[in-house]
Each structure stands twice: as C-alpha cells, then as structure tokens.
Amino acid sequence: MKKIIISNFKMNTTPSEMKTYSMALATKTSESKNQIIVCPPFTHLCVAKQFLDGSKVSLGAQNVSSEEKGAFTGEVSASMLKDLGVEYVIVGHSERRTKFKETDRLVNKKIKTALANGLKVILCIGEDLASRQAKQACAVVKKELDDALKGIYENELEGVIIAYEPIWAIGTGKTATLKDIQKMVELIRKEIAYLYSDKAGQQINVVYGGSIDIQNYKKIISLACLNGALIGGASLNVDNFAVIARENY
Ligand code: 13P
C-alpha cells in the first residue's frame, strides 16, 4: 500500500548538509512507490529544491505566516513558499503550540492562508500526557480538529493531511501502541465524517508521528487505517529515512 512518508527536521542541520542529504535521498528513493515529503528549515528550502528537482521527493516547510504580506518582520508567507516550489507546510505542530503559544485560532488562520495560496497542509494534532492520563485525549484531539478546520470546505480537504502526534510520544522514545493509534485514527475519521461526510472521513489522509525509528517504523506505518508517518529525529539520518521511505507497506 502506498504511504505518505514525511520528515520534520525541526531546527536541525545546516543548508550545506541539506545539499548532501538531498542528493543522497533523491538517489536512494528513486524506486520508491511511496509519497515522500521533506520538511527542512526555511533556510534549506532553496538548496533542497535545487537538489531534489526531478526526484520522487516533494518539499514542505515547517511553518507559514497566517498573514498574506506586509510589516511582519521575521515571518515567511505562503506565497513566498509557493514561489520557491514548496508544496506542503506543517501547521499546528505541538512545539509551535506550546513553545510559541500558537492558538487553535491562529492554526485555523494559517491553514486558510496556506490553502488559499495553493499549499497543502500537514495539520498536527495530539494530546499531552496530562490529558491522556485524565482520559481526555479524545476530547483534546476532537477540539483541535474542529477548531483547525472551521470554515474549511470539504473540497479543500484534498489539500489536508492530518498528523496525529501525541505530545508525550514526540522525541521521547515512547510510541503510542498500535491499538491507541488505531483508536485515535478512527476517532479522527469519524469526526471528519461528522463535520463533512462519510466519504470525507474515509478519504482524508491521516499519518502518525512520535518516536518512529528504524526499528519500529514498519509495524506502525503498515497499519491499514494509517496513510503514513511524520518523522522527526529518525529523519535526520538520510540512510534511515530512505529505508523508511522506500519500504513496501
Ligand atoms: P520524533 O520522531 O523525533 O519523535 O518527532 C516527531 C515529530 O514531532 C514530527 O513532527
């Protein structure tokens, strides 16, 4: 089954390293049947574009401004990314929600701006440990989904990938169990069906992220309910990321 394999470099590596990485990834994944997306820092996008051109790998950014343009020092707009050949953008990552205080409202605005500019969105949602322990995980995920998708039309969902990333599993070496992932993916599909239609619930792409590595990737990504994975730490090693990206699931 064809899967979507996404890297998130976070704030790691340099543009020079991106050149070597891109060349290696393009070669190593030339036979892959999966959809591969790399999301390096903004500073790496030009070099990544140059060395991934003509390969199986698409380019994503890790963030985007909610504003179109203007006096917003330090921000990067959706049209700038689009012009560079970027196809995807990660929105609502828990690190942006917690460390940069991004609200559900801002996440919603970013999604609208990204879609309006022809970018596809990788929308991250997921509960923290306290919510899970308080048996509130489903409620948190549902609310994040509802708020993020306010005012987004069903025909726009084609441009949205939902990444379920439980915060307690990010960078901790603790993955959610297959049962937990399955349960949450089902909940996400059900919520999409409720908000839009049964067809939308079935068709929406849902990926999992949180401590996926070269040892555990196959059993997680092979889950029939999942469309792929969003990989942080393990994506920094191009050999490992290429193995995950070219696997037959
Ligand atoms: P890790 O794979 O390092 O746990 O990170 C997951 C993540 O946050 C991807 O967006």
Side-chain angles (χ1 to χ4, degrees):
M1 190 177 164
K2 182 179 170 177
K3 301 279 183 171
I4 310 168
I5 309 296
I6 314 166
S7 83
N8 175 8
F9 279 24
K10 311 194 178 182
M11 198 171 73
N12 292 298
T13 77
T14 62
S16 318
E17 287 165 345
M18 191 73 219
K19 176 181 168 183
T20 323
Y21 186 102
S22 303
M23 290 194 302
L25 186 63
T27 312
K28 287 171 193 284
T29 57
S30 62
E31 306 286 315
S32 175
K33 305 260 186 306
N34 298 310
Q35 186 183 353
I36 308 164
I37 306 166
V38 287
C39 303
F42 288 136
T43 45
H44 302 28
L45 291 170
C46 272
V47 67
K49 174 74 192 158
Q50 190 183 346
F51 292 95
L52 289 172
D53 230 14
S55 77
K56 293 265 163 73
V57 185
S58 306
L59 206 50
Q62 294 174 23
N63 190 15
V64 65
S65 177
S66 61
E67 302 292 337
E68 288 288 347
K69 65 174 184 172
F72 301 100
T73 302
E75 288 288 272
V76 173
S77 76
S79 60
M80 294 172 191
L81 295 172
K82 183 74 187 167
D83 184 72
L84 213 64
V86 171
E87 289 178 61
Y88 294 86
V89 65
I90 298 175
V91 174
H93 194 281
S94 62
E95 286 150 19
R96 297 225 52 93
R97 292 179 191 261
T98 56
K99 296 176 183 169
F100 300 94
K101 308 281 174 264
E102 291 197 3
T103 60
D104 285 324
R105 214 186 145 118
L106 183 69
V107 169
N108 175 252
K109 199 168 174 210
K110 286 187 174 195
I111 295 174
K112 286 180 176 157
T113 307
L115 292 174
N117 283 278
L119 291 172
K120 293 181 179 141
V121 168
I122 300 158
L123 163 64
C124 299
I125 53 175
E127 79 287 358
D128 63 10
L129 188 59
S131 314
R132 175 153 287 261
Q133 284 169 341
K135 306 222 176 308
Q136 289 301 308
C138 294
V140 168
V141 165
K142 238 192 218 176
K143 181 177 181 337
E144 282 184 343
L145 202 54
D146 293 356
D147 288 352
L149 295 177
K150 255 184 205 136
I152 309 290
Y153 297 103
E154 180 164 348
N155 64 357
E156 294 177 295
L157 290 182
E158 240 177 86
V160 178
I161 296 170
I162 305 208
Y164 170 54
E165 296 208 307
I167 299 176
W168 49 270
I170 295 178
T172 57
K174 278 186 223 150
T175 56
T177 63
L178 297 183
K179 222 172 124 199
D180 284 341
I181 297 173
Q182 226 158 352
K183 200 175 147 197
M184 208 51 101
V185 174
E186 261 164 40
L187 175 125
I188 291 167
R189 293 193 186 283
K190 246 191 175 156
E191 190 62 10
I192 296 287
Y194 169 74
L195 293 172
Y196 297 96
S197 67
D198 286 348
K199 193 173 155 214
Q202 284 156 15
Q203 289 185 345
I204 190 88
N205 283 312
V206 186
V207 303
Y208 166 82
S211 293
I212 290 188
D213 62 26
I214 196 67
Q215 265 86 42
N216 64 22
Y217 75 93
K218 199 163 177 186
K219 63 179 200 304
I220 296 174
I221 301 174
S222 298
L223 279 173
C225 62
L226 264 190
N227 300 100
L230 176 54
I231 305 167
S235 74
L236 295 174
N237 178 312
V238 70
D239 294 328
N240 288 349
F241 185 63
V243 166
I244 300 172
R246 64 173 184 239
E247 183 74 63
N248 281 319
Y249 294 98

PDB file of all heavy atoms in Angstrom, residues 211-234:
ATOM      1  N   SER A 211       8.248   9.420  17.855  1.00  0.00           N
ATOM      2  CA  SER A 211       9.264   8.396  18.140  1.00  0.00           C
ATOM      3  C   SER A 211       9.277   7.221  17.165  1.00  0.00           C
ATOM      4  O   SER A 211       9.587   6.093  17.546  1.00  0.00           O
ATOM      5  CB  SER A 211       9.146   7.900  19.586  1.00  0.00           C
ATOM      6  OG  SER A 211       9.485   8.944  20.478  1.00  0.00           O
ATOM      7  N   ILE A 212       8.942   7.495  15.929  1.00  0.00           N
ATOM      8  CA  ILE A 212       9.116   6.450  14.910  1.00  0.00           C
ATOM      9  C   ILE A 212      10.617   6.348  14.632  1.00  0.00           C
ATOM     10  O   ILE A 212      11.298   7.360  14.485  1.00  0.00           O
ATOM     11  CB  ILE A 212       8.349   6.801  13.624  1.00  0.00           C
ATOM     12  CG1 ILE A 212       6.847   6.682  13.890  1.00  0.00           C
ATOM     13  CG2 ILE A 212       8.787   5.893  12.468  1.00  0.00           C
ATOM     14  CD1 ILE A 212       5.986   6.822  12.671  1.00  0.00           C
ATOM     15  N   ASP A 213      11.126   5.128  14.591  1.00  0.00           N
ATOM     16  CA  ASP A 213      12.546   4.961  14.278  1.00  0.00           C
ATOM     17  C   ASP A 213      12.751   3.759  13.363  1.00  0.00           C
ATOM     18  O   ASP A 213      11.781   3.122  12.943  1.00  0.00           O
ATOM     19  CB  ASP A 213      13.392   4.880  15.563  1.00  0.00           C
ATOM     20  CG  ASP A 213      13.010   3.676  16.417  1.00  0.00           C
ATOM     21  OD1 ASP A 213      12.503   2.669  15.859  1.00  0.00           O
ATOM     22  OD2 ASP A 213      13.203   3.742  17.651  1.00  0.00           O
ATOM     23  N   ILE A 214      13.997   3.472  13.104  1.00  0.00           N
ATOM     24  CA  ILE A 214      14.331   2.434  12.128  1.00  0.00           C
ATOM     25  C   ILE A 214      13.934   1.038  12.630  1.00  0.00           C
ATOM     26  O   ILE A 214      13.795   0.110  11.849  1.00  0.00           O
ATOM     27  CB  ILE A 214      15.841   2.540  11.728  1.00  0.00           C
ATOM     28  CG1 ILE A 214      16.172   1.766  10.472  1.00  0.00           C
ATOM     29  CG2 ILE A 214      16.755   2.199  12.898  1.00  0.00           C
ATOM     30  CD1 ILE A 214      15.542   2.331   9.234  1.00  0.00           C
ATOM     31  N   GLN A 215      13.739   0.902  13.941  1.00  0.00           N
ATOM     32  CA  GLN A 215      13.312  -0.398  14.475  1.00  0.00           C
ATOM     33  C   GLN A 215      11.783  -0.570  14.420  1.00  0.00           C
ATOM     34  O   GLN A 215      11.289  -1.634  14.106  1.00  0.00           O
ATOM     35  CB  GLN A 215      13.733  -0.539  15.958  1.00  0.00           C
ATOM     36  CG  GLN A 215      15.052  -1.250  16.168  1.00  0.00           C
ATOM     37  CD  GLN A 215      16.205  -0.261  16.071  1.00  0.00           C
ATOM     38  OE1 GLN A 215      16.115   0.842  16.596  1.00  0.00           O
ATOM     39  NE2 GLN A 215      17.278  -0.642  15.390  1.00  0.00           N
ATOM     40  N   ASN A 216      11.057   0.487  14.740  1.00  0.00           N
ATOM     41  CA  ASN A 216       9.603   0.296  14.935  1.00  0.00           C
ATOM     42  C   ASN A 216       8.741   0.759  13.754  1.00  0.00           C
ATOM     43  O   ASN A 216       7.528   0.610  13.776  1.00  0.00           O
ATOM     44  CB  ASN A 216       9.150   1.011  16.220  1.00  0.00           C
ATOM     45  CG  ASN A 216       9.336   2.524  16.148  1.00  0.00           C
ATOM     46  OD1 ASN A 216       9.402   3.097  15.063  1.00  0.00           O
ATOM     47  ND2 ASN A 216       9.411   3.185  17.290  1.00  0.00           N
ATOM     48  N   TYR A 217       9.366   1.370  12.746  1.00  0.00           N
ATOM     49  CA  TYR A 217       8.573   2.035  11.705  1.00  0.00           C
ATOM     50  C   TYR A 217       7.626   1.101  10.973  1.00  0.00           C
ATOM     51  O   TYR A 217       6.491   1.472  10.654  1.00  0.00           O
ATOM     52  CB  TYR A 217       9.491   2.746  10.690  1.00  0.00           C
ATOM     53  CG  TYR A 217      10.186   1.827   9.714  1.00  0.00           C
ATOM     54  CD1 TYR A 217       9.625   1.556   8.461  1.00  0.00           C
ATOM     55  CD2 TYR A 217      11.390   1.205  10.030  1.00  0.00           C
ATOM     56  CE1 TYR A 217      10.251   0.711   7.568  1.00  0.00           C
ATOM     57  CE2 TYR A 217      12.023   0.358   9.137  1.00  0.00           C
ATOM     58  CZ  TYR A 217      11.441   0.111   7.908  1.00  0.00           C
ATOM     59  OH  TYR A 217      12.057  -0.731   7.028  1.00  0.00           O
ATOM     60  N   LYS A 218       8.086  -0.143  10.697  1.00  0.00           N
ATOM     61  CA  LYS A 218       7.319  -0.985   9.778  1.00  0.00           C
ATOM     62  C   LYS A 218       5.955  -1.376  10.353  1.00  0.00           C
ATOM     63  O   LYS A 218       4.939  -1.296   9.676  1.00  0.00           O
ATOM     64  CB  LYS A 218       8.122  -2.216   9.389  1.00  0.00           C
ATOM     65  CG  LYS A 218       7.585  -2.831   8.137  1.00  0.00           C
ATOM     66  CD  LYS A 218       8.497  -3.767   7.453  1.00  0.00           C
ATOM     67  CE  LYS A 218       7.755  -4.356   6.257  1.00  0.00           C
ATOM     68  NZ  LYS A 218       8.527  -5.384   5.599  1.00  0.00           N
ATOM     69  N   LYS A 219       5.960  -1.789  11.621  1.00  0.00           N
ATOM     70  CA  LYS A 219       4.672  -2.231  12.186  1.00  0.00           C
ATOM     71  C   LYS A 219       3.707  -1.056  12.360  1.00  0.00           C
ATOM     72  O   LYS A 219       2.502  -1.215  12.218  1.00  0.00           O
ATOM     73  CB  LYS A 219       4.855  -3.034  13.470  1.00  0.00           C
ATOM     74  CG  LYS A 219       5.485  -2.300  14.632  1.00  0.00           C
ATOM     75  CD  LYS A 219       5.548  -3.257  15.820  1.00  0.00           C
ATOM     76  CE  LYS A 219       5.706  -2.586  17.157  1.00  0.00           C
ATOM     77  NZ  LYS A 219       6.846  -1.691  17.313  1.00  0.00           N
ATOM     78  N   ILE A 220       4.236   0.121  12.604  1.00  0.00           N
ATOM     79  CA  ILE A 220       3.335   1.277  12.756  1.00  0.00           C
ATOM     80  C   ILE A 220       2.780   1.716  11.400  1.00  0.00           C
ATOM     81  O   ILE A 220       1.567   1.809  11.201  1.00  0.00           O
ATOM     82  CB  ILE A 220       4.064   2.464  13.444  1.00  0.00           C
ATOM     83  CG1 ILE A 220       4.468   2.082  14.868  1.00  0.00           C
ATOM     84  CG2 ILE A 220       3.180   3.721  13.444  1.00  0.00           C
ATOM     85  CD1 ILE A 220       5.310   3.113  15.592  1.00  0.00           C
ATOM     86  N   ILE A 221       3.686   1.951  10.458  1.00  0.00           N
ATOM     87  CA  ILE A 221       3.244   2.508   9.163  1.00  0.00           C
ATOM     88  C   ILE A 221       2.395   1.502   8.379  1.00  0.00           C
ATOM     89  O   ILE A 221       1.564   1.880   7.564  1.00  0.00           O
ATOM     90  CB  ILE A 221       4.475   3.004   8.352  1.00  0.00           C
ATOM     91  CG1 ILE A 221       5.223   4.075   9.173  1.00  0.00           C
ATOM     92  CG2 ILE A 221       4.062   3.569   7.005  1.00  0.00           C
ATOM     93  CD1 ILE A 221       6.537   4.550   8.569  1.00  0.00           C
ATOM     94  N   SER A 222       2.586   0.199   8.677  1.00  0.00           N
ATOM     95  CA  SER A 222       1.797  -0.820   7.965  1.00  0.00           C
ATOM     96  C   SER A 222       0.337  -0.853   8.405  1.00  0.00           C
ATOM     97  O   SER A 222      -0.488  -1.507   7.741  1.00  0.00           O
ATOM     98  CB  SER A 222       2.404  -2.212   8.192  1.00  0.00           C
ATOM     99  OG  SER A 222       3.702  -2.253   7.671  1.00  0.00           O
ATOM    100  N   LEU A 223      -0.001  -0.203   9.501  1.00  0.00           N
ATOM    101  CA  LEU A 223      -1.408  -0.197   9.951  1.00  0.00           C
ATOM    102  C   LEU A 223      -2.320   0.238   8.798  1.00  0.00           C
ATOM    103  O   LEU A 223      -2.095   1.297   8.199  1.00  0.00           O
ATOM    104  CB  LEU A 223      -1.595   0.789  11.104  1.00  0.00           C
ATOM    105  CG  LEU A 223      -1.202   0.341  12.517  1.00  0.00           C
ATOM    106  CD1 LEU A 223      -1.293   1.513  13.483  1.00  0.00           C
ATOM    107  CD2 LEU A 223      -2.099  -0.804  12.971  1.00  0.00           C
ATOM    108  N   ALA A 224      -3.342  -0.554   8.537  1.00  0.00           N
ATOM    109  CA  ALA A 224      -4.200  -0.283   7.375  1.00  0.00           C
ATOM    110  C   ALA A 224      -4.944   1.045   7.503  1.00  0.00           C
ATOM    111  O   ALA A 224      -5.227   1.709   6.509  1.00  0.00           O
ATOM    112  CB  ALA A 224      -5.184  -1.423   7.199  1.00  0.00           C
ATOM    113  N   CYS A 225      -5.234   1.450   8.751  1.00  0.00           N
ATOM    114  CA  CYS A 225      -6.011   2.682   8.950  1.00  0.00           C
ATOM    115  C   CYS A 225      -5.161   3.935   8.707  1.00  0.00           C
ATOM    116  O   CYS A 225      -5.685   5.036   8.573  1.00  0.00           O
ATOM    117  CB  CYS A 225      -6.575   2.721  10.365  1.00  0.00           C
ATOM    118  SG  CYS A 225      -5.304   2.750  11.645  1.00  0.00           S
ATOM    119  N   LEU A 226      -3.847   3.775   8.660  1.00  0.00           N
ATOM    120  CA  LEU A 226      -2.936   4.919   8.552  1.00  0.00           C
ATOM    121  C   LEU A 226      -2.453   5.122   7.119  1.00  0.00           C
ATOM    122  O   LEU A 226      -2.193   4.159   6.411  1.00  0.00           O
ATOM    123  CB  LEU A 226      -1.680   4.661   9.388  1.00  0.00           C
ATOM    124  CG  LEU A 226      -1.548   5.194  10.796  1.00  0.00           C
ATOM    125  CD1 LEU A 226      -0.109   4.982  11.256  1.00  0.00           C
ATOM    126  CD2 LEU A 226      -1.918   6.661  10.905  1.00  0.00           C
ATOM    127  N   ASN A 227      -2.285   6.388   6.754  1.00  0.00           N
ATOM    128  CA  ASN A 227      -1.774   6.688   5.415  1.00  0.00           C
ATOM    129  C   ASN A 227      -0.269   6.973   5.409  1.00  0.00           C
ATOM    130  O   ASN A 227       0.298   7.213   4.348  1.00  0.00           O
ATOM    131  CB  ASN A 227      -2.511   7.881   4.825  1.00  0.00           C
ATOM    132  CG  ASN A 227      -3.993   7.606   4.704  1.00  0.00           C
ATOM    133  OD1 ASN A 227      -4.781   8.024   5.524  1.00  0.00           O
ATOM    134  ND2 ASN A 227      -4.371   6.853   3.692  1.00  0.00           N
ATOM    135  N   GLY A 228       0.345   6.999   6.588  1.00  0.00           N
ATOM    136  CA  GLY A 228       1.785   7.240   6.582  1.00  0.00           C
ATOM    137  C   GLY A 228       2.302   7.740   7.905  1.00  0.00           C
ATOM    138  O   GLY A 228       1.693   7.514   8.954  1.00  0.00           O
ATOM    139  N   ALA A 229       3.437   8.447   7.836  1.00  0.00           N
ATOM    140  CA  ALA A 229       4.122   8.842   9.065  1.00  0.00           C
ATOM    141  C   ALA A 229       4.781  10.204   8.940  1.00  0.00           C
ATOM    142  O   ALA A 229       5.169  10.623   7.844  1.00  0.00           O
ATOM    143  CB  ALA A 229       5.186   7.799   9.402  1.00  0.00           C
ATOM    144  N   LEU A 230       4.887  10.876  10.091  1.00  0.00           N
ATOM    145  CA  LEU A 230       5.630  12.137  10.193  1.00  0.00           C
ATOM    146  C   LEU A 230       6.782  11.864  11.161  1.00  0.00           C
ATOM    147  O   LEU A 230       6.558  11.525  12.331  1.00  0.00           O
ATOM    148  CB  LEU A 230       4.696  13.238  10.715  1.00  0.00           C
ATOM    149  CG  LEU A 230       5.295  14.615  10.984  1.00  0.00           C
ATOM    150  CD1 LEU A 230       6.026  15.167   9.774  1.00  0.00           C
ATOM    151  CD2 LEU A 230       4.189  15.600  11.392  1.00  0.00           C
ATOM    152  N   ILE A 231       7.991  11.996  10.655  1.00  0.00           N
ATOM    153  CA  ILE A 231       9.158  11.505  11.399  1.00  0.00           C
ATOM    154  C   ILE A 231      10.110  12.643  11.729  1.00  0.00           C
ATOM    155  O   ILE A 231      10.554  13.373  10.832  1.00  0.00           O
ATOM    156  CB  ILE A 231       9.884  10.427  10.558  1.00  0.00           C
ATOM    157  CG1 ILE A 231       8.899   9.322  10.180  1.00  0.00           C
ATOM    158  CG2 ILE A 231      11.071   9.851  11.331  1.00  0.00           C
ATOM    159  CD1 ILE A 231       9.408   8.384   9.117  1.00  0.00           C
ATOM    160  N   GLY A 232      10.426  12.803  13.003  1.00  0.00           N
ATOM    161  CA  GLY A 232      11.352  13.851  13.442  1.00  0.00           C
ATOM    162  C   GLY A 232      12.778  13.331  13.464  1.00  0.00           C
ATOM    163  O   GLY A 232      13.433  13.197  12.432  1.00  0.00           O
ATOM    164  N   GLY A 233      13.265  13.019  14.667  1.00  0.00           N
ATOM    165  CA  GLY A 233      14.664  12.623  14.884  1.00  0.00           C
ATOM    166  C   GLY A 233      15.206  11.616  13.878  1.00  0.00           C
ATOM    167  O   GLY A 233      16.309  11.800  13.341  1.00  0.00           O
ATOM    168  N   ALA A 234      14.442  10.562  13.611  1.00  0.00           N
ATOM    169  CA  ALA A 234      14.948   9.493  12.738  1.00  0.00           C
ATOM    170  C   ALA A 234      15.077   9.931  11.279  1.00  0.00           C
ATOM    171  O   ALA A 234      15.749   9.259  10.489  1.00  0.00           O
ATOM    172  CB  ALA A 234      14.050   8.268  12.833  1.00  0.00           C
TER     173      ALA A 234
END
